[in-house]
Amino acid sequence: MSKLTLYHAAPSRSSIVHWMLEELGEPYDIQLVSFKKGENRQPEFLAINPMGKLPTIKHGDTVITEAAAICTYLADEFPKAKLNVPIGDPRRGVYLKWLFFGPSCVEPAVAERAWPRKEVAPRSALGFGDFDTVMDVLAKGVAAAKPYLMGQQFTAADVIIGSNLRWGTMFKLIPERPEFTAYLGRINERPALKRVTEKDKKLQAEQEAGL
Ligand SMILES: N[C@@H](CCC(=O)N[C@@H](CS)C(=O)NCC(=O)O)C(=O)O
C-alpha cells in the first residue's frame, strides 16, 4: 500500500487532516514542519507545496494540498472507513456542499470579521455573501444534523465543518449559538478527535522545545 505522510504543525489547519487520518484508521507518518524556523518557506518544502502552506499530504507519489480537498480525497480513497458519500448516492450533493462551504464561505467570512477590509466589498462580489447569512445557513445546517451533517453517518464533511466551528468559536470569531454548541458537543465526543487533540499537544510541545 502507498505510504501516507502528513506534513504537519500543531496547532494549525493541518490538525484538521490529522483528525481525518485518525478517523480513517490507516497507518500514516507525520513530518513536522516548523513555521517558527521558516521550514515551510525552504526550497525543500516549496518543492512539495509551492504555496508554502500546511496541511500537505503525500500519498505514494501524489501530493495533495488544501484541507477540504485532502479530506475529500482520503474519504474517497479509503471507502472502507465510510467517511464519504459515494458517487451515485443522492446524498452526495449535500455532502459536497458542506465540504466546499467550509473553505469557500465559513473561512473567508470569519477572516473578514477578524481582519475587516478598509473598503466594504459588495455582497454580490464576495463568494460567501455576508457573515450573518453564512452563520444562519451554518446554524440551520448543524441544527438539522442528527447527529451529523449527513445523518447517522459521520463523514469528511463533519471534519471540515466541525473544525471550522471549533476554531471559530475558540477564538470568539464565530458567535455562540445553541445550534453550534449542541453540534460541537457531539463532535468533541469523537474518540479520534480526542486522540488527535492529545497527540497535537505533545507535538506542539516538541516543536516549541525545538526537538
Ligand atoms: N487554503 C489552505 C490554507 C492553508 C493555510 O493557510 N495554512 C496555514 C496554517 S493554518 C499556513 O500554512 N500558514 C503558513 C504560511 O502561510 O506561511 C487550506 O485550506 O488548506
Side-chain angles (χ1 to χ4, degrees):
M1 204 188 76
S2 303
K3 196 171 129 184
L4 269 171
T5 303
L6 170 66
Y7 294 85
H8 183 41
S12 80
R13 281 181 181 86
S14 57
S15 296
I16 302 172
V17 174
H18 194 191
W19 175 19
M20 181 70 189
L21 286 164
E22 280 293 315
E23 293 282 355
L24 212 61
E26 297 290 333
Y28 62 92
D29 290 341
I30 287 186
Q31 177 93 43
L32 290 176
V33 177
S34 166
F35 290 141
K36 222 181 191 166
K37 293 185 193 158
E39 287 171 353
N40 59 315
R41 307 295 311 163
Q42 295 302 313
E44 300 79 46
F45 184 75
L46 291 175
I48 301 167
N49 180 1
M51 290 292 286
K53 294 264 189 194
L54 301 176
T56 296
I57 67 162
K58 225 177 184 184
H59 184 208
D61 291 331
T62 308
V63 172
I64 310 127
T65 63
E66 300 302 317
I70 296 171
C71 291
T72 310
Y73 172 86
L74 291 173
D76 285 340
E77 195 71 12
F78 299 96
K80 206 174 67 183
K82 292 198 172 18
L83 293 165
N84 71 337
V85 175
I87 290 174
D89 186 316
R91 298 176 310 139
R92 185 162 165 97
V94 175
Y95 164 73
L96 290 177
K97 184 276 290 287
W98 285 120
L99 280 164
F100 282 67
F101 194 76
S104 27
C105 293
V106 181
E107 282 202 25
V110 169
E112 198 184 57
R113 180 73 29 132
W115 299 283
R117 288 165 215 252
K118 287 200 180 75
E119 207 175 305
V120 179
R123 184 187 191 282
S124 57
L126 296 173
F128 65 88
D130 63 85
F131 183 84
D132 290 339
T133 306
V134 171
M135 291 302 126
D136 287 346
V137 171
L138 199 51
K140 212 168 155 207
V142 298
K146 302 256 185 282
Y148 302 119
L149 290 170
M150 299 313 301
Q152 284 301 314
Q153 185 192 1
F154 176 88
T155 66
D158 293 294
V159 174
I160 292 300
I161 295 297
S163 297
N164 286 162
L165 278 172
R166 277 166 53 81
W167 182 84
T169 49
M170 191 188 306
F171 290 101
K172 308 241 176 285
L173 293 168
I174 288 186
E176 272 189 35
R177 289 172 69 148
E179 299 93 328
F180 297 155
T181 310
Y183 175 70
L184 282 176
R186 298 192 288 277
I187 288 295
N188 286 335
E189 284 309 308
R190 297 289 304 173
L193 180 56
K194 288 185 181 174
R195 286 198 298 279
V196 159
T197 307
E198 282 314 303
K199 279 172 80 174
D200 271 355
K201 268 190 214 150
K202 286 194 191 120
L203 290 172
Q204 183 180 1
E206 264 176 48
Q207 267 197 318
E208 279 168 10
L211 298 177

